[in-house]
Amino acid sequence: MEYDFREIEKKWQAWWKENQVYKTIEDPTRPKYYVLDMFPYPSGAGLHVGHPLGYIASDIYARYKRLKGFNLLHPMGFDAFGLPAEQYAIQTGQHPARTTAENIARYRHQLDRIGFSFDWSREVRTCDPSYYKWTQWIFLQLFNSWYNPVTDKAESVDSLVTLFRNGSYREVLTGNLNPGDIDWENMTEAGQQELLLRYRLAYISEATVNWCPKLGTVLANEEVKDGFSERGGYPVERKRMRQWSLRITAYAERLLTDLQEIDWPESIKEQQRNWIGRSEGALVTFQLKDLKGGIKIFTTRPDTIFGVSFMTLSPEHELVDEITTLQQKAQVDEYVMSARNRSDRERMSEVKKVTGVFTGAYAIHPFTGASLPVWIGDYVLPGYGTGAVMSVPGHDERDHAFAIEFGLPVVQVIKGPDEWDIREKSYDVKSGKCINSDFLNGLDVQDAIPAAIRKIEADGLGSGKIQYRLRDAVFGRQRYWGEPIPVFYKDHIPCAVADKDLPVVLPEVDKYLPTEDGEPPLARAKDWRYNGLFDFETTTMPGWAGSSWYYLRYMDPGNQEAFASAESLNYWRQVDLYIGGAEHATGHLLYVRFWTKFLYDRGYIPVGEPAKKLINQGMIQGMSMFCSFVRRPDTTNNTPDGVFLYDTPSPIEGDVMRIPYEFAEFENGKYFLTREKLKQLKEENILFRDVEFISGKDIASMNPVYAGRLRELRNPGRVELQYEVEKMSKSKWNVINPDSIIDKFGADCLRLYEMFLGPLELSKPWNTNGINGTANFIRKLWKLYHTTGEGSREMQWSVTDEEPSREEWKILHKTIKKVTDDIERFSFNTSVSNFMICVNELTELRCNKRAVLEPLAVLVSPYAPHIAEELWEKLGHSTSITRASFPVAREEFFVEDVFAYPISVNGKTKFNLPIALTLTRDEIEREVMLAEEVRKLLAGKTPKKVVVVPGRIVNIVV
RNA sequence: GCGCAUGUGGCGUAAUUGGCAGCCGCGCCAGACUUAGGAUCUGGUGCCGAAAGGCGUGGGGGUUCGAGUCCCUCCAUGCGCACCA
């Protein structure tokens, strides 16, 4: 019989489920391997063909590793808290838990149809109280920990209290961390708690945050793109708020240096390096003239300190009010106000515009004693360094622009090229010799920097300092659908909920909106108090909380006593292969490393990095279809029903509109919308209700403006569509649903085709037309195990126990070798084409030998598990093919003793000459020179040189 | 502007170490069969040329007996960062 993928795929999916084929248990006798996919956020739109790409790749790898004898952990779950479900809840009043559960059910159904080998008994959902109990527990560990700079790891706050108690904190908490003089025993409890909050890894503080009024919540830096929210695209503004944050900055250095030990894509590492943004420099205090105190600045160029001609503060700087003189006050106030009201977006779009105002105050140059005017400028960022800079217009582009704008002096202190005009352009290059710089004169920049720092430290002006761009992660969200932060307030002091009271379950509320006083939705919860007495924290955790440790929960998902047992943690240790999208570079992938390091420090887990190897799968893009249109005379709008479609690939007015991909028909390399399809489209989509085709002639009679251009237009029995490759998205009408592909071609075919499209990491457009190739392959594979009777198409099972021929052995083992190499280097596309070659060659030989076809089924099984399982059963096995062993390539079956050497003259191949591979260089050369063709090609000339590479090539140079 | 990728037939791509460029598939062309199908099978298909032959991996230059692969330079596309002192 013909291969019936519908029946057979259903059969095996049910069988796998019933027999728990993919259930994993710890087995110390076997080596473990952990393959993880980034778990999906179950959106309402369901999966499109781009989503499973990475899952298919990881599934193939997992199945391969299983066949190689590894004990596989290959779980899946859902990142189920998040904004879209809550936005939907606000609109419809439906509880987000309900829509989330529905979406998960749909995802699960779609995933099941693809035939993944996930161990669903280990499924996690971040919104499940039995899961977020441990997310909250980890939060409390962060709350109860501080970062000890001496031991360079996180410790319990108890050890910090001990330091405060016995006074030895001074040796540990130096520089910025130094709290000044502490008399712990005589402090009030509130004072003590206030102090500890400055060191806890989870802490609450007044901070400038990204506030998104439209979403009603704060956002983390990586959730903001170009001044708009990543989700929804709403404007974001800066606002000072009391906020929960995580002290990820404590881990900046380790997050940076440990990148060296993990096998992750260079682009991800580079993005993380940039995001962490380490720079070495110095903190220096410039005393104020005629005022107490000074301005503390951070600079990476202490070598240019003699080039300072003014100071600049950010408008938000705390000293602004203090130092502004009476005369300047009005101007300064106005500037500060306007700077504050400008959104980030505006500030960014006006990057080139230099603005600022003089405070009237002066600082004193620490070495020359010169008076330096103190300015305010919004090019100085409040959040970086100290929010103030020493301005060196000679050697910093931004300072230069500011100095020119306001007529401030430009001093050169580094010797650049002779023709360089320092008035024209600052010399920012970090090389050259110091000039006009007192004790630094004559030193190269590279030597001057440490020399300047030494002097600054010796004179007590400041110290060397490493600065990071990385900010602490804002952790509170003024939203409903997230993990409640397990904290309550006693006399306004945040206190940890006791472990025994976890989880703090998300309470029911009447509406998912902020209260009238602008409190988060959780403030609506009735009688929601800790022990009936204390107010709970009302913000919830951000979307990335649950995903920062989920890979650990899979190791022991049912555990009630701990987030995972020591045994399972020690067995599975870390993810061996992690596959997911590159868009998480500075979000999830940084946070999961941070939480991992923290849990490692506190001794809860045995490894300090979450994933040994990471691969980013590329995006599968969609083909968006466009059709030329003209407006109906009686309308001015561009909605589909206000237009006529006409047939031309080059629209006369440049106006095109989108047509849903599934209505396009493909013919001769072009896409068309036919009359029939248009009819269907009009029925299915109300937007297209009144759309009609129009002929060129009618366009002209409708509107004489087009009359002269009629030649371009053709008669529209159908219209040609233009297309563009874009991101696959519902709004672009270019989404392909895997279900529709599976219905038509089967899951194995989808799996093969997704892999066949190209290298995993590359983005590439989906084109359903090509899928016939892999569908044919599956048919041919099936046929290989069958014969068709004389004159009939009836297929009969036909596998013999005959000994394969030498040629057949060779095909098999060559394929084993290639496919093994391909999988090992994650080159799944090439292994699919190797399968095709193998099946083509075996078909040619009419090979039906068990000794060849049985290993072939195993070889194919990671890619096309359903058909492989069916063939395996028909071959007489009663256990699953997943319990088989991956075949091993035996070289003796494919080594050749003769090689057809390409013989080239001056690097250009002329012909092939078979020569025994056992011959030496000299013997090969002799053989080649004797050949008839060579004599002809040389035409009597003597070669200058003959290059012989045994087993590869012969090149004759004349 | 800075950083990181990527550029190969009409299309998706292959070439693992510097060694026959274009494997495999789509599409296309020609043919066979005919239960007339968007089915199956056979052959062909980088470009120019009737052929011999020539030209070809984004452009230009270089190293080498030999370059898709290495180096320099320019261009294009994508992604990331972007007043980070």
Side-chain angles (χ1 to χ4, degrees):
Chain A
M1 61 169 184
E2 276 282 333
Y3 178 60
D4 181 355
F5 63 82
R6 268 173 261 261
E7 276 308 303
I8 290 169
E9 291 186 350
K10 211 163 70 187
K11 166 183 163 187
W12 288 109
Q13 282 168 14
W15 195 87
W16 293 329
K17 195 170 174 184
E18 194 176 321
N19 292 281
Q20 302 195 348
V21 170
Y22 304 119
K23 194 169 164 66
T24 303
I25 46 169
E26 273 94 86
D27 176 1
T29 65
R30 281 195 297 156
K32 69 96 188 186
Y33 202 88
Y34 187 176
V35 176
L36 184 66
D37 296 286
M38 289 185 189
F39 62 169
Y41 174 80
S43 80
L47 291 173
H48 64 61
V49 289
H51 294 117
L53 181 72
Y55 305 157
I56 294 171
S58 66
D59 195 56
I60 289 167
Y61 201 76
R63 285 174 181 274
Y64 165 75
K65 279 290 191 183
R66 260 189 218 109
L67 294 171
K68 280 281 189 187
F70 288 86
N71 190 23
L72 255 286
L73 181 56
H74 187 215
M76 182 49 86
F78 297 96
D79 187 13
F81 274 133
L83 283 181
E86 184 168 354
Q87 291 296 87
Y88 189 73
I90 291 169
Q91 283 163 28
T92 64
Q94 274 202 54
H95 198 287
R98 198 176 134 192
T99 47
T100 302
E102 283 166 6
N103 291 345
I104 287 177
R106 172 140 179 244
Y107 264 62
R108 176 67 195 274
H109 179 72
Q110 287 186 297
L111 290 171
D112 280 347
R113 294 193 66 195
I114 304 174
F116 291 123
S117 64
F118 297 130
D119 177 1
W120 282 107
S121 73
R122 291 176 183 254
E123 176 187 342
V124 302
R125 298 181 184 192
T126 54
C127 66
D128 193 328
S130 68
Y131 179 87
Y132 70 67
K133 169 180 179 177
W134 299 105
T135 310
Q136 291 175 335
W137 181 85
I138 294 169
F139 173 85
L140 290 182
Q141 304 313 303
L142 285 158
F143 180 72
N144 286 323
S145 301
W146 69 295
Y147 201 88
N148 184 329
V150 172
T151 57
D152 199 20
K153 61 179 201 173
E155 294 176 4
S156 163
V157 282
D158 296 344
S159 73
L160 180 62
V161 171
T162 307
L163 290 179
F164 284 138
R165 206 163 255 149
N166 67 23
S168 54
Y169 66 89
R170 281 188 189 82
E171 291 117 63
V172 179
L173 302 172
T174 55
N176 272 3
L177 291 175
N178 194 326
D181 289 328
I182 299 296
D183 181 4
W184 180 262
E185 304 297 348
N186 293 318
M187 285 171 86
T188 60
E189 202 201 329
Q192 290 176 341
Q193 290 304 325
E194 205 52 47
L195 177 64
L196 288 180
L197 263 183
R198 288 172 57 186
Y199 299 93
R200 293 180 188 275
L201 291 181
Y203 64 98
I204 192 166
S205 70
E206 187 84 14
T208 304
V209 296
N210 305 301
W211 172 253
C212 179
K214 208 69 188 217
L215 290 171
T217 188
V218 301
L219 297 170
N221 289 343
E222 79 286 345
E223 293 169 316
V224 182
K225 294 266 180 295
D226 296 330
F228 288 90
S229 67
E230 198 180 28
R231 291 247 185 215
Y234 304 112
V236 172
E237 48 192 59
R238 307 201 136 268
K239 194 176 171 183
R240 275 191 83 75
M241 285 179 84
R242 217 167 135 73
Q243 272 308 311
W244 282 97
S245 300
L246 298 189
R247 210 177 296 279
I248 189 174
T249 50
Y251 283 89
E253 189 64 37
R254 282 164 65 191
L255 288 170
L256 193 64
T257 52
D258 288 354
L259 283 172
Q260 287 164 14
E261 65 180 57
I262 49 180
D263 182 9
W264 286 21
E266 197 45 48
S267 64
I268 294 281
K269 291 193 190 182
E270 193 59 29
Q271 279 183 61
Q272 293 207 346
R273 281 185 206 111
N274 290 339
W275 192 258
I276 295 166
R278 182 185 199 271
S279 44
E280 290 181 26
L283 280 172
V284 189
T285 302
F286 285 61
Q287 290 305 315
L288 286 159
K289 193 177 170 186
D290 307 327
L291 285 165
K292 274 226 289 241
I295 299 171
K296 200 182 212 181
I297 58 96
F298 174 71
T299 177
T300 55
R301 295 295 302 275
D303 56 310
T304 62
I305 195 162
F306 287 94
V308 177
S309 53
F310 59 101
M311 310 289 290
T312 314
L313 308 179
S314 64
E316 293 86 348
H317 199 278
E318 51 186 3
L319 283 177
V320 168
D321 279 345
E322 223 172 286
I323 65 172
T324 302
T325 59
L326 223 52
Q327 275 161 313
Q328 297 299 106
K329 191 166 179 7
Q331 264 194 59
V332 167
D333 285 352
E334 196 199 325
Y335 183 72
V336 169
M337 279 307 292
S338 76
R340 187 175 299 156
N341 289 335
R342 273 162 80 198
S343 70
D344 268 17
R345 182 72 200 164
E346 287 168 324
R347 231 165 126 160
M348 251 181 272
S349 62
E350 292 168 13
V351 163
K352 293 283 172 297
K353 217 164 109 191
V354 180
T355 63
V357 62
F358 179 44
T359 61
Y362 290 85
I364 302 161
H365 194 288
F367 294 126
T368 67
S371 289
L372 307 168
V374 180
W375 284 69
I376 299 169
D378 71 357
Y379 79 96
V380 179
L381 300 175
Y384 187 76
T386 61
V389 300
M390 64 176 211
S391 298
V392 186
H395 305 283
D396 182 286
E397 205 187 333
R398 298 151 302 178
D399 296 338
H400 191 269
F402 198 86
I404 297 301
E405 178 72 25
F406 296 107
L408 294 156
V410 179
V411 185
Q412 181 165 17
V413 289
I414 305 292
K415 183 92 185 77
D418 287 341
E419 69 278 14
W420 198 284
D421 180 2
I422 211 79
R423 292 289 316 169
E424 216 31 65
K425 195 174 187 306
S426 62
Y427 181 70
D428 295 14
V429 185
K430 259 183 155 173
S431 68
K433 284 208 185 334
C434 294
I435 52 173
N436 305 325
S437 293
D438 193 1
F439 62 90
L440 294 174
N441 278 337
L443 288 175
D444 277 323
V445 167
Q446 292 313 316
D447 304 322
I449 290 173
I453 293 174
R454 275 198 301 277
K455 176 82 170 151
I456 286 163
E457 287 180 344
D459 290 4
L461 302 167
S463 58
K465 165 102 168 106
I466 294 160
Q467 186 70 44
Y468 301 92
R469 200 189 76 118
L470 184 72
R471 291 310 130 70
D472 279 343
V474 174
F475 198 67
R477 295 288 182 277
Q478 290 66 23
R479 302 290 296 203
Y480 176 74
W481 192 229
E483 302 87 344
I485 291 178
V487 161
F488 64 93
Y489 290 88
K490 203 160 86 184
D491 300 330
H492 305 291
I493 298 167
C495 305
V497 166
D499 282 2
K500 68 169 172 53
D501 296 320
L502 294 180
V504 175
V505 177
L506 196 54
E508 293 302 321
V509 293
D510 55 347
K511 267 193 235 166
Y512 306 104
L513 289 169
T515 66
E516 279 68 35
D517 340 323
E519 290 288 304
L522 288 195
R524 292 175 175 275
K526 291 213 168 50
D527 305 322
W528 191 51
R529 289 210 166 74
Y530 187 49
N531 291 336
L533 288 172
F534 306 106
D535 285 343
F536 274 119
E537 167 66 42
T538 53
T539 58
T540 51
M541 299 189 198
W544 49 266
S547 60
S548 296
W549 71 282
Y550 75 116
Y551 76 101
L552 295 167
R553 187 62 176 171
Y554 285 134
M555 296 177 183
D556 191 10
N559 200 317
Q560 311 256 318
E561 267 67 58
F563 64 89
S565 68
E567 299 80 64
S568 54
L569 287 162
N570 283 322
Y571 181 70
W572 297 110
R573 300 181 68 81
Q574 70 182 143
V575 175
D576 294 286
L577 173 65
Y578 194 20
I579 296 187
E583 65 273 22
H584 299 108
T586 51
H588 163 62
L589 288 172
L590 203 55
Y591 293 126
V592 72
R593 293 184 63 220
F594 162 40
W595 282 38
T596 298
K597 288 187 187 307
F598 166 71
L599 291 170
Y600 172 71
D601 281 356
R602 297 302 318 270
Y604 293 119
I605 59 173
V607 190
E609 281 290 340
K612 229 185 244 176
K613 182 175 177 67
L614 173 75
I615 297 178
N616 292 126
Q617 88 272 24
M619 254 194 318
I620 291 195
Q621 295 143 318
M623 292 258 230
S624 301
M625 294 293 153
F626 297 91
C627 188
S628 308
F629 73 85
V630 287
R631 280 183 200 94
R632 284 170 181 271
D634 53 344
T635 180
T636 51
N637 72 29
N638 279 3
T639 56
D641 64 353
V643 305
F644 290 115
L645 304 177
Y646 64 96
D647 186 40
T648 176
S650 49
I652 46 177
E653 289 295 299
D655 280 340
V656 292
M657 58 181 284
R658 287 177 187 275
I659 304 291
Y661 177 84
E662 63 265 32
F663 292 92
E665 290 206 2
F666 183 71
E667 202 185 306
N668 280 8
K670 288 175 177 165
Y671 292 90
F672 298 93
L673 179 65
T674 60
R675 272 197 190 285
E676 264 162 60
K677 288 284 181 184
L678 177 64
K679 207 175 141 217
Q680 275 180 40
L681 177 57
K682 289 168 70 161
E683 280 163 17
E684 282 180 32
N685 192 328
I686 193 158
L687 281 173
F688 290 86
R689 197 182 40 208
D690 293 327
V691 173
E692 294 296 343
F693 287 158
I694 189 169
S695 72
K697 219 186 332 177
D698 293 340
I699 294 179
S701 59
M702 184 183 85
N703 186 345
V705 170
Y706 300 123
R709 291 174 265 184
L710 263 178
R711 270 166 196 282
E712 302 169 42
L713 307 175
R714 288 171 289 174
N715 188 34
R718 60 180 188 186
V719 298
E720 186 177 343
L721 302 175
Q722 299 116 67
Y723 64 90
E724 233 172 87
V725 172
E726 291 184 303
K727 195 178 161 174
M728 211 175 256
S729 123
K730 221 176 170 180
S731 63
K732 295 187 164 76
W733 281 334
N734 61 4
V735 170
I736 313 286
N737 186 318
D739 295 320
S740 70
I741 302 294
I742 293 172
D743 288 341
K744 242 172 149 172
F745 301 98
D748 286 340
C749 187
L750 172 75
R751 293 169 63 108
L752 284 165
Y753 188 55
E754 292 226 359
M755 292 299 101
F756 186 66
L757 278 175
L760 182 59
E761 320 81 59
L762 244 59
S763 288
K764 55 249 159 185
W766 177 270
N767 183 351
T768 305
N769 299 313
I771 202 166
N772 291 325
T774 41
N776 274 339
F777 163 75
I778 287 174
R779 231 185 327 256
K780 284 189 202 165
L781 176 70
W782 183 253
K783 265 184 165 170
L784 207 48
Y785 296 73
H786 294 77
T787 47
T788 46
E790 287 292 315
S792 91
R793 296 213 169 161
E794 200 54 35
M795 260 195 253
Q796 272 171 356
W797 181 257
S798 165
V799 173
T800 74
D801 287 329
E802 276 172 66
E803 176 68 15
S805 68
R806 186 170 165 73
E807 190 63 15
E808 288 165 343
W809 278 127
K810 184 178 149 188
I811 293 166
L812 173 70
H813 282 273
K814 197 181 65 187
T815 306
I816 297 172
K817 169 97 173 75
K818 283 188 166 164
V819 170
T820 308
D821 290 353
D822 287 341
I823 299 181
E824 293 283 356
R825 66 194 170 97
F826 307 99
S827 174
F828 303 107
N829 55 325
T830 52
S831 42
V832 177
S833 72
N834 279 320
F835 287 138
M836 290 175 171
I837 293 168
C838 173
V839 167
N840 287 348
E841 289 177 349
L842 291 176
T843 303
E844 186 91 358
L845 297 174
R846 299 178 163 279
C847 172
N848 62 345
K849 321 281 166 60
R850 169 183 294 274
V852 171
L853 297 186
E854 201 165 84
L856 177 63
V858 181
L859 212 54
V860 171
S861 69
Y863 292 80
H866 307 86
I867 190 173
E869 195 77 270
E870 179 72 14
L871 291 170
W872 191 247
E873 186 188 51
K874 284 187 176 282
L875 284 162
H877 298 276
S878 54
T879 55
S880 166
I881 195 168
T882 58
R883 303 290 187 263
S885 289
F886 202 79
V888 177
R890 288 170 57 187
E891 284 211 13
E892 65 267 32
F893 285 112
F894 57 85
V895 286
E896 304 273 359
D897 32 47
V898 172
F899 175 67
Y901 279 86
I903 311 300
S904 52
V905 177
N906 291 337
K908 293 210 188 292
T909 310
K910 298 296 178 183
F911 68 99
N912 286 314
L913 184 66
I915 301 174
L917 276 163
T918 48
L919 297 193
T920 65
R921 231 172 257 263
D922 290 344
E923 289 165 334
I924 295 167
E925 182 172 340
R926 206 170 310 133
E927 192 105 345
V928 168
M929 297 318 288
L930 285 173
E932 183 63 26
E933 294 95 325
V934 172
R935 250 180 295 165
K936 233 186 276 173
L937 282 164
L938 288 177
K941 279 178 280 187
T942 325
K944 279 193 205 127
K945 188 174 171 187
V946 179
V947 182
V948 177
V949 185
R952 286 227 184 261
I953 202 171
V954 176
N955 189 17
I956 303 165
V957 187
V958 292

Coordinates of all heavy atoms in Angstrom, one line a residue, chain A residues 31-63:
Chain A
P31 N 25.6 7.9 30.8 CA 25.9 9.4 30.7 C 24.7 10.2 30.4 O 23.8 9.7 29.6 CB 26.9 9.4 29.5 CG 26.6 8.2 28.7 CD 26.1 7.2 29.7
K32 N 24.6 11.3 31.0 CA 23.4 12.2 30.8 C 23.6 13.2 29.7 O 24.8 13.5 29.3 CB 23.0 12.9 32.1 CG 24.1 14.0 32.4 CD 23.7 15.4 31.9 CE 24.8 16.4 32.1 NZ 24.4 17.8 31.8
Y33 N 22.6 13.6 29.1 CA 22.6 14.7 28.1 C 21.4 15.5 28.2 O 20.3 15.0 28.3 CB 22.9 14.2 26.7 CG 23.5 15.3 25.8 CD1 24.8 15.4 25.7 CD2 22.7 16.1 25.1 CE1 25.4 16.4 24.9 CE2 23.2 17.1 24.3 CZ 24.6 17.3 24.2 OH 25.1 18.2 23.4
Y34 N 21.5 16.9 28.3 CA 20.4 17.7 28.5 C 20.2 18.7 27.3 O 21.0 19.5 27.1 CB 20.6 18.5 29.8 CG 19.4 19.4 30.4 CD1 19.5 20.0 31.6 CD2 18.2 19.5 29.7 CE1 18.5 20.8 32.1 CE2 17.2 20.3 30.1 CZ 17.3 21.0 31.4 OH 16.3 21.7 31.8
V35 N 19.1 18.4 26.6 CA 18.8 19.3 25.4 C 17.6 20.1 25.8 O 16.5 19.6 26.1 CB 18.5 18.4 24.2 CG1 18.1 19.3 23.0 CG2 19.7 17.6 23.8
L36 N 17.7 21.4 25.7 CA 16.7 22.3 26.1 C 16.3 23.3 25.0 O 17.2 23.8 24.3 CB 17.1 23.1 27.4 CG 16.0 24.0 27.9 CD1 14.8 23.2 28.5 CD2 16.6 24.9 29.1
D37 N 15.0 23.5 24.8 CA 14.5 24.6 24.0 C 14.1 25.8 24.8 O 13.6 25.6 25.9 CB 13.3 24.1 23.2 CG 13.6 23.0 22.3 OD1 14.2 23.3 21.2 OD2 13.3 21.8 22.6
M38 N 14.2 27.0 24.3 CA 13.6 28.1 25.0 C 12.1 27.9 25.0 O 11.5 27.7 23.9 CB 13.9 29.4 24.3 CG 15.4 29.8 24.5 SD 15.8 31.4 23.9 CE 17.6 31.3 24.0
F39 N 11.5 27.8 26.2 CA 10.0 27.5 26.2 C 9.2 28.7 25.7 O 9.6 29.8 25.8 CB 9.6 27.0 27.5 CG 9.7 27.9 28.7 CD1 9.1 27.6 29.9 CD2 10.4 29.1 28.7 CE1 9.1 28.4 31.0 CE2 10.5 29.9 29.8 CZ 9.9 29.5 30.9
P40 N 8.1 28.4 25.0 CA 7.3 29.4 24.4 C 6.4 30.2 25.3 O 6.0 29.7 26.3 CB 6.5 28.7 23.3 CG 6.3 27.3 24.0 CD 7.5 27.0 24.8
Y41 N 6.1 31.4 25.0 CA 5.0 32.1 25.6 C 3.8 31.8 24.7 O 3.8 32.0 23.5 CB 5.3 33.7 25.5 CG 4.1 34.4 26.0 CD1 3.8 34.5 27.4 CD2 3.1 34.9 25.1 CE1 2.7 35.1 27.9 CE2 2.0 35.5 25.6 CZ 1.8 35.6 27.0 OH 0.6 36.2 27.4
P42 N 2.8 31.2 25.3 CA 1.6 30.7 24.5 C 0.7 31.8 24.2 O -0.2 32.2 24.9 CB 1.0 29.7 25.5 CG 1.3 30.2 26.9 CD 2.7 30.8 26.8
S43 N 1.0 32.4 23.0 CA 0.2 33.6 22.6 C -1.1 33.1 22.0 O -1.3 31.9 21.6 CB 0.9 34.4 21.5 OG 0.8 33.8 20.3
G44 N -2.1 33.9 21.8 CA -3.4 33.6 21.3 C -3.3 33.2 19.8 O -4.2 32.5 19.3
A45 N -2.3 33.6 19.1 CA -2.2 33.3 17.7 C -1.8 31.9 17.3 O -1.9 31.5 16.2 CB -1.2 34.3 17.0
G46 N -1.3 31.1 18.3 CA -0.9 29.8 18.0 C 0.5 29.7 17.3 O 1.1 30.8 17.1
L47 N 0.9 28.6 17.0 CA 2.2 28.4 16.4 C 2.2 28.7 14.9 O 1.2 28.4 14.2 CB 2.7 27.0 16.6 CG 3.1 26.5 17.9 CD1 3.4 25.0 17.8 CD2 4.3 27.2 18.5
H48 N 3.2 29.3 14.4 CA 3.4 29.3 12.9 C 4.6 28.5 12.6 O 5.4 28.1 13.5 CB 3.4 30.7 12.3 CG 4.6 31.6 12.7 ND1 5.9 31.2 12.5 CD2 4.6 32.8 13.4 CE1 6.7 32.2 12.9 NE2 5.9 33.1 13.5
V49 N 4.9 28.2 11.3 CA 6.0 27.3 11.0 C 7.4 27.7 11.5 O 8.3 26.9 11.5 CB 6.0 27.0 9.5 CG1 4.9 26.2 9.0 CG2 6.2 28.3 8.7
G50 N 7.5 29.0 11.8 CA 8.8 29.4 12.3 C 9.1 28.9 13.7 O 10.3 28.7 14.0
H51 N 8.1 28.8 14.5 CA 8.3 28.4 15.9 C 9.0 27.1 16.1 O 9.9 26.9 16.9 CB 7.0 28.5 16.7 CG 6.4 29.9 16.8 ND1 5.2 30.2 16.3 CD2 6.9 31.0 17.5 CE1 5.0 31.5 16.6 NE2 6.0 32.0 17.3
P52 N 8.5 26.0 15.4 CA 9.0 24.7 15.7 C 10.4 24.5 15.1 O 11.0 23.5 15.4 CB 8.0 23.7 15.0 CG 7.1 24.5 14.3 CD 7.4 26.0 14.5
L53 N 11.0 25.4 14.3 CA 12.3 25.2 13.7 C 13.3 24.7 14.7 O 14.0 23.7 14.5 CB 12.7 26.5 13.0 CG 14.1 26.4 12.3 CD1 13.9 25.5 11.0 CD2 14.6 27.7 11.9
G54 N 13.5 25.5 15.8 CA 14.5 25.1 16.8 C 14.1 23.9 17.5 O 15.0 23.1 17.8
Y55 N 12.8 23.7 17.7 CA 12.3 22.5 18.4 C 12.7 21.2 17.6 O 13.0 20.2 18.1 CB 10.8 22.5 18.7 CG 10.3 23.7 19.5 CD1 9.0 24.1 19.4 CD2 11.2 24.4 20.3 CE1 8.5 25.2 20.1 CE2 10.7 25.5 21.0 CZ 9.3 25.9 20.9 OH 8.9 27.0 21.5
I56 N 12.5 21.3 16.3 CA 12.8 20.2 15.4 C 14.2 19.9 15.5 O 14.6 18.7 15.6 CB 12.3 20.5 14.0 CG1 10.8 20.6 13.9 CG2 12.8 19.4 13.0 CD1 10.2 21.1 12.6
A57 N 15.1 20.9 15.4 CA 16.5 20.7 15.4 C 16.9 20.0 16.8 O 17.7 19.0 16.8 CB 17.3 22.0 15.2
S58 N 16.4 20.6 17.9 CA 16.8 20.0 19.1 C 16.3 18.6 19.3 O 16.9 17.7 19.9 CB 16.3 20.9 20.3 OG 14.9 20.9 20.3
D59 N 15.1 18.3 18.7 CA 14.5 17.0 18.8 C 15.3 16.0 18.1 O 15.5 14.9 18.5 CB 13.1 17.0 18.3 CG 12.3 15.8 18.7 OD1 12.2 15.5 19.9 OD2 11.8 15.0 17.8
I60 N 15.8 16.4 16.9 CA 16.7 15.5 16.1 C 17.9 15.2 16.9 O 18.4 14.1 17.0 CB 17.0 16.2 14.8 CG1 15.8 16.2 13.9 CG2 18.2 15.4 14.1 CD1 15.9 17.1 12.7
Y61 N 18.5 16.2 17.5 CA 19.7 16.0 18.3 C 19.5 15.1 19.5 O 20.3 14.3 19.8 CB 20.3 17.4 18.7 CG 21.8 17.3 19.0 CD1 22.7 17.1 18.0 CD2 22.2 17.2 20.4 CE1 24.1 17.0 18.3 CE2 23.6 17.1 20.7 CZ 24.5 17.0 19.6 OH 25.8 16.8 19.9
A62 N 18.4 15.4 20.2 CA 18.0 14.6 21.3 C 17.8 13.1 21.0 O 18.3 12.2 21.6 CB 16.8 15.1 22.0
R63 N 17.1 12.9 19.9 CA 16.9 11.5 19.4 C 18.2 10.8 19.0 O 18.4 9.7 19.3 CB 15.9 11.5 18.3 CG 14.4 11.8 18.7 CD 13.5 11.9 17.4 NE 12.2 12.2 17.8 CZ 11.2 11.3 18.1 NH1 11.6 10.0 18.0 NH2 10.0 11.6 18.4

